Amino acid sequence: MDPERFKDLLKPVETKIIMLVLDGLGGIQKKPGGLTELEAARTPHMDRLAAEGTCGLHCPVGAGITPGSGPSHLALFGYDPLRYQVGRGVLSALGIDFDLKKGDVAARGNFCTLDEKGRVKDRRAGRISTGKNRELCRILKDIKLPDCQLFVETVKEHRFLLVLRGKDLGGSISDTDPQGIGREPIPIEPRDQKSIKAAVLVSEFLKQARKHLIDKYPANMVLLRGFSQLPDWPSLEELFLLRAAAVAAYPMYRGVSKLVGMDVLETGDTLEEQIRTVEDHWENHDFFYLHFKPIDSAGEDGDFERKTALIQDVDRFIPRLLKLKPDVLIVTGDHSTPSSLKSHSWHPVPALLWTANCRIDPVREFGERACMAGGLGVGFPAVHLIPMALAHARRLDKYGA
Amino acid sequence: MDPERFKDLLKPVETKIIMLVLDGLGGIQKKPGGLTELEAARTPHMDRLAAEGTCGLHCPVGAGITPGSGPSHLALFGYDPLRYQVGRGVLSALGIDFDLKKGDVAARGNFCTLDEKGRVKDRRAGRISTGKNRELCRILKDIKLPDCQLFVETVKEHRFLLVLRGKDLGGSISDTDPQGIGREPIPIEPRDQKSIKAAVLVSEFLKQARKHLIDKYPANMVLLRGFSQLPDWPSLEELFLLRAAAVAAYPMYRGVSKLVGMDVLETGDTLEEQIRTVEDHWENHDFFYLHFKPIDSAGEDGDFERKTALIQDVDRFIPRLLKLKPDVLIVTGDHSTPSSLKSHSWHPVPALLWTANCRIDPVREFGERACMAGGLGVGFPAVHLIPMALAHARRLDKYGA
């Protein structure tokens, strides 16, 4: 159901929901007869929740689609990621905690190598070091543009963030990245009337950048793509009457939380600190999004054992969350990151919903295959989790008489 | 698939479908390790159907959505309840068997209490008795409106039905109910040109109603909402080539059946009488909707044992239905009404489809957890039941070559 349609059903009650997101939770077996990382992990507390709750496997974006962290989190927050789209520029800004303002125009930048004829020879300039990147960004920051503040911020290796801040700037601008080698960068084009001014400024930036970088081989030019501006989306409070808080150590996840109007709480790097943050703010919010990143990183590194051990680490903290007496506790991932694939994947993601009033299903442990027999179903859309949480938290009125 | 798209596939064959709807069938366990009402019930006949058929759990409206009886039944009949919406006024009329005509404007009314400043003090006038309601409706019925017939009919406690019958009346009129206390009733506003005349008449009704009720504290005024007119929907015959009959003891369900063009058959209050009605009319229709209400009422009363016993009562009548040799028999509910919640709920609803040509799944008994392993899936949309029934009744041609 369109989230806008929940408005008429929402009840302002004092119930609490925790959504614990283990980044990249889902996995696959290394070989037939084997276990997934979650299945291999000893998780007595999550198993108890699974046995007392209802389980399933969600599909973040669509069948066969491997989601990035932005879309997969939007889905967990109840925002259809095919409808609510964020540009790459904005995502880059969120990923480095850059304080993007309404009206700023952001783009994802790559340092690249042009050959002597001005054609792209390497779209990533040989993946220069992050240190080198910082050095080059310092040079580009000095470029002056009329009536406009310029930010050039290092992301990592060859990647940087470009932000223009000024009056009346539109973000509908074409990419310069030709997405292949042997071709020249594509000249900037505004896609609407509102974006002409920004397009002119970006063209001027590119002209000057080329001058400054001409002798910096291999990073002798930049490519820009994903021009975008902060979207103007309804907040979780507007859509679902949830005063929501985000507890996340990584900038990207704090950023996506801000996009949907969450209060981003100051917290530490460890799960211990993050759970203390939830405890300290328990009275002030209805919905807590608690994000744990290292499981995904272990999957990306192809480290089955570390991923398993990290899942076990999280499990030990479940009793602390239960002590808060949440009305609804959801434990899931934003996507799968099987260590044998060393990357995000399209595989449905284990999810458990624990509440006093759920229909208890036959699932007795929290694992991919166990969840296939669960009451939430296999491959249910991740955007259903928030409506389900609202229902079990008794926050929704009847639809129709 | 959009129901309009079935038209090209429909075949006029002589097969029979029965849809037995046990109102509020779905339940939940009272505690971990327990059984649901349906699981606790001894249902040898339904268990046999489950073993020979295919089962699942349907979702009437959407994930997390608790449906009212109107939307949930429309879904069972193949009408997407988010697209086919009925106003509260029309539903109130259906619920008391009021013979609403095309063009009538119906509204749901509440007797309410206004304070000395004319602000709403109690939206339900202290839930006056139904007897008192009848007395007040008799007074309001005497109000005269120009060129227009007025009906004021008791529903229950503080609730009544208002109907205006006249020429060229539009039903797009705003509510007067401020949906909270401490505020004055909202003046009537037409929402389109066509509804100006009716809005003027309703305003006049309200003025006179206030005069008649001023000394009837606590019921010293009325609030109106859900102004609506009979919708002009395609019938089950137009959409699915089904000559459909409704066998239901309660007005609400007969009313919804009429909205989708069913013939509403005269019947009695007991299941015995209702099944005899199906038997008597077996030759004249393709589709029989047979509705049994008391299971929902037991759930609403929080009476687990009575709900269980009533399910068992229905089970005993299954052989009578099978003797008719239906090509397709569906047994399901319109929504869940767990006795521990004493209300409709959002939990998916057990469904079984019994036919000669279904794919038999591993389910061996009819119960919520058993159905989770079924061939219809978990949380499948209730609107899929009619297409599934048509297919298994061999009423659908191939789509495409």
Side-chain angles (χ1 to χ4, degrees):
Chain A
M1 195 158 96
D2 182 342
E4 307 273 350
R5 301 186 73 156
F6 282 83
K7 282 183 186 164
D8 296 337
L9 307 179
L10 298 167
K11 292 194 288 188
V13 299
E14 293 290 320
T15 50
K16 305 270 188 197
I17 301 164
I18 298 176
M19 181 182 271
L20 171 59
V21 177
L22 310 189
D23 202 303
L25 176 64
I28 61 177
Q29 301 93 340
K30 281 192 270 193
K31 53 171 194 254
L35 300 171
T36 68
E37 300 89 333
L38 176 58
E39 288 171 351
R42 271 205 71 245
T43 53
H45 301 297
M46 291 187 204
D47 291 348
R48 184 200 136 196
L49 297 181
E52 293 177 7
T54 182
C55 292
L57 293 149
H58 73 72
C59 181
V61 176
I65 302 301
T66 296
S69 301
S72 66
H73 269 81
L74 288 174
L76 290 179
F77 300 154
Y79 292 68
D80 176 0
L82 296 172
R83 173 173 164 194
Y84 293 91
Q85 302 209 9
V86 209
R88 250 170 206 280
V90 171
L91 276 179
S92 292
L94 302 181
I96 59 166
D97 245 348
F98 180 88
D99 189 19
L100 204 64
K101 309 279 191 200
K102 283 255 146 89
D104 287 357
V105 173
R108 153 90 181 261
N110 271 16
F111 288 103
C112 72
T113 313
L114 298 190
D115 67 14
E116 63 289 348
K117 287 186 174 148
R119 292 170 310 198
V120 175
K121 202 173 133 191
D122 183 341
R123 289 177 57 240
R124 296 178 187 87
R127 290 190 186 272
I128 53 167
S129 71
T130 305
K132 184 75 189 166
N133 180 318
R134 280 190 217 290
E135 197 181 294
L136 297 171
C137 283
R138 268 197 297 275
I139 296 173
L140 297 183
K141 263 180 208 180
D142 286 339
I143 292 173
K144 296 280 175 274
L145 296 177
D147 288 335
C148 161
Q149 207 177 342
L150 181 75
F151 302 87
V152 186
E153 307 291 335
T154 294
V155 175
K156 202 179 168 184
E157 298 173 342
H158 55 286
R159 298 196 297 271
F160 68 90
L161 165 72
L162 177 79
V163 173
L164 271 61
R165 182 170 293 163
K167 263 188 144 172
D168 304 324
L169 298 182
S172 200
I173 297 175
S174 64
D175 296 352
T176 77
D177 188 338
Q179 293 285 351
I181 60 171
R183 278 174 279 169
E184 290 178 30
I186 304 162
I188 284 288
E189 292 259 15
R191 289 215 193 90
D192 59 23
Q193 200 68 20
K194 228 180 119 259
S195 304
I196 294 175
K197 184 178 163 189
V200 170
L201 291 167
V202 175
S203 295
E204 177 59 24
F205 167 79
L206 286 169
K207 219 169 88 185
Q208 297 198 36
R210 176 64 169 152
K211 271 190 211 159
H212 283 95
L213 297 174
I214 197 124
D215 59 348
K216 305 294 183 200
Y217 185 92
N220 61 5
M221 189 42 183
V222 297
L223 297 174
L224 299 173
R225 60 188 164 129
F227 285 92
S228 43
Q229 298 184 291
L230 270 184
D232 191 20
W233 294 342
S235 68
L236 280 167
E237 181 144 21
E238 288 166 301
L239 287 179
F240 304 124
L241 220 59
L242 290 174
R243 293 170 307 152
V247 181
Y250 277 59
M252 171 72 188
Y253 307 92
R254 292 200 293 265
V256 177
S257 306
K258 265 188 241 166
L259 289 183
V260 297
M262 288 195 200
D263 290 329
V264 175
L265 305 180
E266 289 268 343
T267 191
D269 281 341
T270 66
L271 201 52
E272 156 70 35
E273 291 167 294
Q274 288 162 28
I275 286 180
R276 200 169 329 126
T277 304
V278 175
E279 289 165 346
D280 291 346
H281 292 78
W282 188 243
E283 294 309 320
N284 308 323
H285 296 88
D286 312 303
F287 178 87
F288 289 86
Y289 154 59
L290 178 53
H291 179 256
F292 188 63
K293 175 72 178 171
I295 291 169
D296 177 60
S297 310
E300 297 255 8
D301 292 345
D303 192 335
F304 188 101
E305 284 68 29
R306 196 170 102 234
K307 191 174 164 189
T308 295
L310 285 163
I311 293 169
Q312 294 181 171
D313 288 349
V314 176
D315 192 67
R316 283 189 272 275
F317 283 97
I318 296 289
R320 284 274 292 275
L321 291 177
L322 292 178
K323 231 180 238 168
L324 290 166
K325 299 193 187 302
D327 297 277
V328 174
L329 172 57
I330 290 171
V331 183
T332 189
D334 54 345
H335 53 75
S336 294
T337 305
S339 50
S340 56
L341 297 183
K342 297 187 178 185
S343 67
H344 291 201
S345 81
W346 58 90
H347 302 88
V349 187
L352 78 77
L353 176 83
W354 180 86
T355 73
N357 52 21
C358 65
R359 178 181 286 151
I360 300 162
D361 61 25
V363 180
R364 289 289 161 270
E365 58 180 292
F366 193 42
E368 284 83 350
R369 279 174 294 178
C371 284
M372 289 176 196
L376 297 176
V378 174
F380 73 90
V383 289
H384 287 181
L385 279 169
I386 286 283
M388 291 293 278
L390 293 171
H392 286 86
R394 312 306 300 270
R395 289 175 158 266
L396 291 180
D397 244 331
K398 198 157 63 169
Y399 174 78
Chain B
M1 198 157 92
D2 182 343
E4 307 274 349
R5 299 185 70 161
F6 282 84
K7 282 182 188 167
D8 297 336
L9 308 179
L10 298 167
K11 292 193 289 188
V13 298
E14 293 291 321
T15 50
K16 305 271 188 196
I17 302 165
I18 297 175
M19 180 181 271
L20 171 60
V21 177
L22 310 189
D23 203 303
L25 176 64
I28 61 177
Q29 301 93 339
K30 281 192 271 195
K31 54 169 194 258
L35 301 171
T36 68
E37 299 89 333
L38 176 58
E39 289 171 349
R42 272 205 71 245
T43 53
H45 300 297
M46 292 185 205
D47 291 348
R48 183 201 136 196
L49 296 181
E52 294 177 6
T54 183
C55 292
L57 293 150
H58 74 72
C59 183
V61 176
I65 302 300
T66 296
S69 301
S72 66
H73 268 81
L74 288 173
L76 291 180
F77 300 155
Y79 293 69
D80 175 1
L82 295 172
R83 173 173 163 194
Y84 293 91
Q85 300 207 14
V86 208
R88 250 170 208 280
V90 170
L91 277 178
S92 292
L94 302 181
I96 58 166
D97 246 349
F98 181 88
D99 189 19
L100 205 63
K101 309 279 191 198
K102 283 255 148 85
D104 288 357
V105 173
R108 152 91 181 260
N110 272 18
F111 288 102
C112 72
T113 314
L114 298 189
D115 68 14
E116 64 289 349
K117 288 186 175 148
R119 292 170 312 197
V120 176
K121 204 173 133 189
D122 183 341
R123 290 177 57 241
R124 298 180 186 85
R127 290 191 186 269
I128 53 166
S129 70
T130 305
K132 183 78 191 162
N133 181 317
R134 281 190 217 290
E135 196 181 296
L136 297 171
C137 283
R138 268 197 298 275
I139 296 173
L140 296 181
K141 263 179 210 183
D142 286 339
I143 292 175
K144 294 280 173 274
L145 297 177
D147 288 335
C148 162
Q149 206 177 342
L150 180 75
F151 301 86
V152 186
E153 306 292 334
T154 293
V155 175
K156 202 179 167 185
E157 296 173 343
H158 55 286
R159 297 196 297 271
F160 67 91
L161 166 72
L162 177 78
V163 174
L164 270 62
R165 181 170 293 164
K167 263 189 144 174
D168 306 324
L169 298 182
S172 200
I173 297 174
S174 65
D175 294 352
T176 76
D177 189 338
Q179 293 285 349
I181 59 173
R183 279 174 278 171
E184 289 178 32
I186 304 162
I188 283 289
E189 292 259 15
R191 291 214 191 91
D192 59 21
Q193 202 67 21
K194 228 181 117 263
S195 305
I196 294 175
K197 184 178 162 190
V200 170
L201 291 168
V202 174
S203 294
E204 177 59 26
F205 167 78
L206 287 168
K207 218 170 87 186
Q208 296 197 35
R210 176 65 168 152
K211 270 191 214 160
H212 283 94
L213 297 173
I214 196 121
D215 59 347
K216 305 293 182 199
Y217 185 93
N220 60 7
M221 188 43 182
V222 297
L223 297 173
L224 299 174
R225 60 185 162 131
F227 285 91
S228 42
Q229 298 184 289
L230 269 185
D232 191 19
W233 294 343
S235 69
L236 281 167
E237 180 143 21
E238 287 166 303
L239 288 178
F240 304 123
L241 220 57
L242 290 174
R243 294 170 306 152
V247 181
Y250 277 59
M252 171 71 188
Y253 307 92
R254 292 199 293 264
V256 177
S257 307
K258 265 189 242 167
L259 289 183
V260 297
M262 287 194 201
D263 290 329
V264 175
L265 305 180
E266 289 270 342
T267 191
D269 281 342
T270 67
L271 202 52
E272 157 70 36
E273 291 167 294
Q274 288 162 28
I275 285 181
R276 201 172 326 127
T277 303
V278 174
E279 291 164 345
D280 291 346
H281 292 77
W282 188 242
E283 293 311 318
N284 308 324
H285 296 86
D286 312 304
F287 178 87
F288 290 85
Y289 154 59
L290 177 53
H291 179 257
F292 187 63
K293 175 74 178 170
I295 292 170
D296 177 61
S297 310
E300 296 255 7
D301 291 345
D303 192 336
F304 188 101
E305 284 68 30
R306 195 171 102 233
K307 191 174 164 188
T308 295
L310 285 162
I311 294 170
Q312 295 181 169
D313 288 348
V314 175
D315 192 68
R316 283 189 272 276
F317 283 96
I318 296 287
R320 283 274 292 275
L321 291 177
L322 292 177
K323 232 181 239 167
L324 290 166
K325 300 194 186 300
D327 297 277
V328 174
L329 171 58
I330 290 170
V331 183
T332 189
D334 53 345
H335 53 74
S336 293
T337 304
S339 50
S340 57
L341 296 183
K342 297 186 178 184
S343 65
H344 290 202
S345 82
W346 59 88
H347 300 88
V349 188
L352 79 77
L353 176 82
W354 180 87
T355 72
N357 52 18
C358 66
R359 177 181 289 151
I360 299 161
D361 62 24
V363 179
R364 289 289 161 271
E365 58 180 294
F366 194 42
E368 284 83 351
R369 279 175 293 181
C371 284
M372 288 176 194
L376 297 176
V378 175
F380 73 91
V383 288
H384 288 181
L385 280 170
I386 286 284
M388 291 295 277
L390 292 172
H392 286 86
R394 311 309 300 270
R395 291 175 156 265
L396 291 180
D397 241 330
K398 195 156 65 172
Y399 176 77

mmCIF file of all heavy atoms in Angstrom, chain A residues 111 127-130 132-134 154-160:
data_model
loop_
_atom_site.group_PDB
_atom_site.id
_atom_site.type_symbol
_atom_site.label_atom_id
_atom_site.label_comp_id
_atom_site.label_asym_id
_atom_site.label_seq_id
_atom_site.Cartn_x
_atom_site.Cartn_y
_atom_site.Cartn_z
ATOM 1 N N PHE A 111 38.684 11.157 -10.141
ATOM 2 C CA PHE A 111 39.890 11.551 -10.869
ATOM 3 C C PHE A 111 40.106 10.513 -11.967
ATOM 4 O O PHE A 111 39.892 9.303 -11.745
ATOM 5 C CB PHE A 111 41.106 11.604 -9.942
ATOM 6 C CG PHE A 111 41.033 12.782 -9.000
ATOM 7 C CD1 PHE A 111 40.667 12.617 -7.667
ATOM 8 C CD2 PHE A 111 41.306 14.065 -9.465
ATOM 9 C CE1 PHE A 111 40.577 13.705 -6.807
ATOM 10 C CE2 PHE A 111 41.232 15.161 -8.610
ATOM 11 C CZ PHE A 111 40.858 14.976 -7.272
ATOM 12 N N ARG A 127 43.403 4.259 -9.810
ATOM 13 C CA ARG A 127 43.017 4.191 -8.385
ATOM 14 C C ARG A 127 44.101 4.823 -7.512
ATOM 15 O O ARG A 127 44.720 4.154 -6.676
ATOM 16 C CB ARG A 127 42.785 2.740 -7.932
ATOM 17 C CG ARG A 127 41.543 2.108 -8.509
ATOM 18 C CD ARG A 127 41.236 0.765 -7.827
ATOM 19 N NE ARG A 127 40.114 0.096 -8.495
ATOM 20 C CZ ARG A 127 38.824 0.308 -8.170
ATOM 21 N NH1 ARG A 127 38.494 1.138 -7.210
ATOM 22 N NH2 ARG A 127 37.882 -0.324 -8.821
ATOM 23 N N ILE A 128 44.323 6.111 -7.708
ATOM 24 C CA ILE A 128 45.304 6.839 -6.896
ATOM 25 C C ILE A 128 45.000 6.662 -5.417
ATOM 26 O O ILE A 128 43.869 6.338 -5.043
ATOM 27 C CB ILE A 128 45.300 8.353 -7.238
ATOM 28 C CG1 ILE A 128 43.873 8.924 -7.128
ATOM 29 C CG2 ILE A 128 45.929 8.626 -8.588
ATOM 30 C CD1 ILE A 128 43.818 10.435 -7.137
ATOM 31 N N SER A 129 45.995 6.911 -4.585
ATOM 32 C CA SER A 129 45.816 6.734 -3.142
ATOM 33 C C SER A 129 44.899 7.826 -2.590
ATOM 34 O O SER A 129 44.738 8.897 -3.199
ATOM 35 C CB SER A 129 47.154 6.828 -2.426
ATOM 36 O OG SER A 129 47.602 8.179 -2.471
ATOM 37 N N THR A 130 44.316 7.542 -1.452
ATOM 38 C CA THR A 130 43.458 8.534 -0.808
ATOM 39 C C THR A 130 44.281 9.773 -0.432
ATOM 40 O O THR A 130 43.791 10.909 -0.484
ATOM 41 C CB THR A 130 42.766 7.894 0.418
ATOM 42 O OG1 THR A 130 42.076 6.713 -0.016
ATOM 43 C CG2 THR A 130 41.779 8.837 1.065
ATOM 44 N N LYS A 132 46.868 11.025 -2.080
ATOM 45 C CA LYS A 132 47.030 11.788 -3.329
ATOM 46 C C LYS A 132 45.738 12.554 -3.632
ATOM 47 O O LYS A 132 45.761 13.716 -4.043
ATOM 48 C CB LYS A 132 47.343 10.793 -4.457
ATOM 49 C CG LYS A 132 47.632 11.430 -5.802
ATOM 50 C CD LYS A 132 49.023 12.048 -5.819
ATOM 51 C CE LYS A 132 49.227 12.886 -7.081
ATOM 52 N NZ LYS A 132 50.428 13.756 -6.933
ATOM 53 N N ASN A 133 44.618 11.848 -3.435
ATOM 54 C CA ASN A 133 43.306 12.446 -3.652
ATOM 55 C C ASN A 133 43.178 13.731 -2.821
ATOM 56 O O ASN A 133 42.788 14.789 -3.326
ATOM 57 C CB ASN A 133 42.238 11.401 -3.256
ATOM 58 C CG ASN A 133 40.807 11.879 -3.433
ATOM 59 O OD1 ASN A 133 40.482 13.017 -3.109
ATOM 60 N ND2 ASN A 133 39.945 10.996 -3.940
ATOM 61 N N ARG A 134 43.547 13.660 -1.554
ATOM 62 C CA ARG A 134 43.437 14.839 -0.662
ATOM 63 C C ARG A 134 44.231 16.016 -1.197
ATOM 64 O O ARG A 134 43.773 17.156 -1.191
ATOM 65 C CB ARG A 134 43.946 14.490 0.734
ATOM 66 C CG ARG A 134 42.939 13.739 1.581
ATOM 67 C CD ARG A 134 43.386 13.619 3.049
ATOM 68 N NE ARG A 134 43.004 12.308 3.578
ATOM 69 C CZ ARG A 134 41.727 11.950 3.829
ATOM 70 N NH1 ARG A 134 40.748 12.798 3.630
ATOM 71 N NH2 ARG A 134 41.468 10.749 4.287
ATOM 72 N N THR A 154 37.414 14.850 -0.506
ATOM 73 C CA THR A 154 37.903 13.494 -0.736
ATOM 74 C C THR A 154 36.907 12.460 -0.216
ATOM 75 O O THR A 154 36.385 12.602 0.893
ATOM 76 C CB THR A 154 39.231 13.301 0.023
ATOM 77 O OG1 THR A 154 40.198 14.163 -0.590
ATOM 78 C CG2 THR A 154 39.718 11.854 -0.041
ATOM 79 N N VAL A 155 36.654 11.423 -1.036
ATOM 80 C CA VAL A 155 35.888 10.277 -0.537
ATOM 81 C C VAL A 155 36.882 9.145 -0.253
ATOM 82 O O VAL A 155 37.201 8.879 0.901
ATOM 83 C CB VAL A 155 34.788 9.837 -1.531
ATOM 84 C CG1 VAL A 155 34.096 8.567 -1.051
ATOM 85 C CG2 VAL A 155 33.759 10.959 -1.692
ATOM 86 N N LYS A 156 37.468 8.563 -1.308
ATOM 87 C CA LYS A 156 38.391 7.439 -1.125
ATOM 88 C C LYS A 156 39.030 7.157 -2.477
ATOM 89 O O LYS A 156 38.347 7.236 -3.505
ATOM 90 C CB LYS A 156 37.606 6.201 -0.666
ATOM 91 C CG LYS A 156 38.418 5.160 0.055
ATOM 92 C CD LYS A 156 37.534 3.994 0.477
ATOM 93 C CE LYS A 156 38.401 2.833 0.943
ATOM 94 N NZ LYS A 156 37.633 1.651 1.269
ATOM 95 N N GLU A 157 40.322 6.841 -2.461
ATOM 96 C CA GLU A 157 41.049 6.530 -3.701
ATOM 97 C C GLU A 157 40.778 7.613 -4.751
ATOM 98 O O GLU A 157 41.064 8.785 -4.507
ATOM 99 C CB GLU A 157 40.681 5.129 -4.202
ATOM 100 C CG GLU A 157 41.082 4.040 -3.187
ATOM 101 C CD GLU A 157 40.588 2.654 -3.569
ATOM 102 O OE1 GLU A 157 39.680 2.549 -4.397
ATOM 103 O OE2 GLU A 157 41.121 1.662 -3.024
ATOM 104 N N HIS A 158 40.187 7.236 -5.898
ATOM 105 C CA HIS A 158 39.973 8.192 -6.993
ATOM 106 C C HIS A 158 38.667 8.970 -6.853
ATOM 107 O O HIS A 158 38.353 9.801 -7.678
ATOM 108 C CB HIS A 158 39.956 7.422 -8.314
ATOM 109 C CG HIS A 158 38.934 6.323 -8.294
ATOM 110 N ND1 HIS A 158 39.115 5.143 -7.587
ATOM 111 C CD2 HIS A 158 37.705 6.242 -8.846
ATOM 112 C CE1 HIS A 158 38.047 4.377 -7.722
ATOM 113 N NE2 HIS A 158 37.183 5.026 -8.471
ATOM 114 N N ARG A 159 37.888 8.691 -5.798
ATOM 115 C CA ARG A 159 36.543 9.255 -5.709
ATOM 116 C C ARG A 159 36.492 10.510 -4.842
ATOM 117 O O ARG A 159 37.069 10.544 -3.754
ATOM 118 C CB ARG A 159 35.572 8.225 -5.132
ATOM 119 C CG ARG A 159 35.435 6.990 -6.002
ATOM 120 C CD ARG A 159 34.207 6.196 -5.624
ATOM 121 N NE ARG A 159 34.273 5.684 -4.256
ATOM 122 C CZ ARG A 159 34.814 4.513 -3.913
ATOM 123 N NH1 ARG A 159 35.358 3.735 -4.847
ATOM 124 N NH2 ARG A 159 34.824 4.115 -2.676
ATOM 125 N N PHE A 160 35.775 11.526 -5.317
ATOM 126 C CA PHE A 160 35.577 12.726 -4.496
ATOM 127 C C PHE A 160 34.147 13.225 -4.657
ATOM 128 O O PHE A 160 33.370 12.701 -5.473
ATOM 129 C CB PHE A 160 36.605 13.810 -4.859
ATOM 130 C CG PHE A 160 36.432 14.402 -6.231
ATOM 131 C CD1 PHE A 160 35.622 15.523 -6.436
ATOM 132 C CD2 PHE A 160 37.084 13.844 -7.327
ATOM 133 C CE1 PHE A 160 35.471 16.065 -7.706
ATOM 134 C CE2 PHE A 160 36.934 14.392 -8.609
ATOM 135 C CZ PHE A 160 36.124 15.500 -8.789
#
